[in-house]
């Protein structure tokens, strides 16, 4: 069952706040937002509408897999960007940073394409679960362990359409 963690209002306020930080850092420079599919599709669409800079948006999808025992952080590009990011200000928009393995690899891959700048904006940071050191430049909410859904984030592809962010709890934890 689901327990509400952040309401639509909480999220909207946080998204505006992140947008102000991004605007401050980039003055009026152009930004290319990279939406990591699928989890950040709603976050990206709300965020970009709050940023006044000249902006472009592109989409990328990666799959990460290891095996049951170890998180290998093997990250494969399932859908690559269509834009050339060379000499562009790139902001990667992610839903959640957990172990940090996915974003570490994505950042490495995009760095080789020589962007002018490369920043990360994550809605949720599960900092205490980090297996590799990676800091997001912009962080919405920092949470402890726990599996969350809603606002684009799924459990087995469900709940992406839930407007709030909820934590999945066992019946006996309620
Ligand atoms: P990382 O490589 O361990 O940092 O994995 C991050 C990815 O795992 C995120 O982009 C999500 O797709 C997924 N993920 C991590 N935690 C959650 C969660 O609580 N709910 C849903 N997906 C999650
Ligand atoms: Mg994701």
């Amino acid at each position: 069952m689901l327990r509400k963690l952040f309401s639509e209002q909480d999220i909207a306020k946080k998204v505006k706040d992140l947008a102000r930080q991004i605007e401050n850092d980039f003055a009026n420079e152009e930004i290319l937002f990279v939406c990591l599919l699928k989890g950040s599709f709603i976050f990206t669409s709300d965020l970009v509408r709050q940023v006044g800079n000249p902006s472009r948006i592109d989409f990328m999808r990666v799959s990460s897999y290891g095996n049951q025992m170890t998180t290998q952080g093997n990250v494969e590009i399932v859908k690559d960007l269509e834009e050339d990011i060379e000499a562009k200000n790139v902001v990667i928009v992610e839903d959640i940073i957990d172990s940090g393995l996915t974003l570490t690899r994505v950042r490495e891959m995009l760095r080789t394409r020589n962007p002018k700048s490369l920043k990360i904006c994550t809605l949720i940071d599960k900092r205490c679960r980090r297996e590799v050191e990676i800091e997001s430049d912009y962080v919405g909410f920092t949470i402890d362990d726990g599996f969350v859904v809603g606002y684009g984030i799924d459990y087995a592809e469900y709940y992406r359409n839930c407007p709030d962010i909820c934590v999945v709890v066992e019946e006996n934890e309620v």
Side-chain angles (χ1 to χ4, degrees):
M1 90 162 270
L2 303 182
R3 190 178 63 222
K4 195 188 288 188
L5 199 57
F6 305 114
S7 69
E8 279 187 85
Q9 291 75 18
D10 297 333
I11 300 166
K13 198 160 162 271
K14 190 62 83 175
V15 169
K16 276 190 187 145
D17 193 50
L18 291 169
R20 293 296 86 76
Q21 292 176 42
I22 292 171
E23 284 177 340
N24 282 339
D25 286 355
F26 287 96
N28 210 32
E29 285 188 61
E30 188 171 307
I31 302 170
L32 175 60
F33 289 94
V34 169
C35 170
L36 286 186
L37 295 170
K38 298 178 185 178
S40 75
F41 81 107
I42 295 179
F43 177 39
T44 304
S45 62
D46 282 345
L47 182 70
V48 297
R49 283 181 289 174
Q50 298 296 331
V51 173
N53 296 52
S55 297
R56 297 201 296 163
I57 298 117
D58 202 355
F59 301 88
M60 186 174 188
R61 178 140 207 234
V62 297
S63 65
S64 27
Y65 55 90
N67 58 46
Q68 298 293 342
M69 308 298 288
T70 53
T71 316
Q72 291 291 335
N74 293 323
V75 175
E76 214 163 73
I77 297 177
V78 177
K79 185 219 168 291
D80 204 348
L81 297 174
E82 290 169 20
E83 300 278 338
D84 180 2
I85 66 169
E86 184 164 352
K88 308 262 170 64
N89 293 311
V90 175
V91 175
I92 303 170
V93 185
E94 174 64 309
D95 54 354
I96 302 177
I97 309 181
D98 189 37
S99 69
L101 290 163
T102 309
L103 223 44
T104 299
R105 283 292 297 133
V106 169
R107 190 170 63 174
E108 275 171 14
M109 290 188 276
L110 295 188
R111 247 190 206 143
T112 63
R113 302 181 192 183
N114 301 316
K116 179 179 176 190
S117 63
L118 186 57
K119 297 210 180 230
I120 297 170
C121 177
T122 190
L123 182 61
I124 294 172
D125 191 353
K126 291 188 187 174
R127 186 155 296 165
C128 59
R129 301 232 334 140
R130 222 46 121 254
E131 288 173 31
V132 286
E133 224 175 279
I134 183 164
E135 285 292 326
S136 182
D137 301 277
Y138 310 100
V139 176
F141 303 102
T142 301
I143 63 169
D144 293 331
D145 207 357
F147 198 85
V148 296
V149 295
Y151 194 68
I153 302 163
D154 76 308
Y155 171 62
E157 292 299 322
Y158 288 99
Y159 305 120
R160 292 194 197 275
N161 58 329
C162 172
D164 309 304
I165 294 174
C166 301
V167 63
V168 180
V169 289
E170 301 287 337
E171 296 292 332
N172 55 13
E173 285 178 39
V174 181

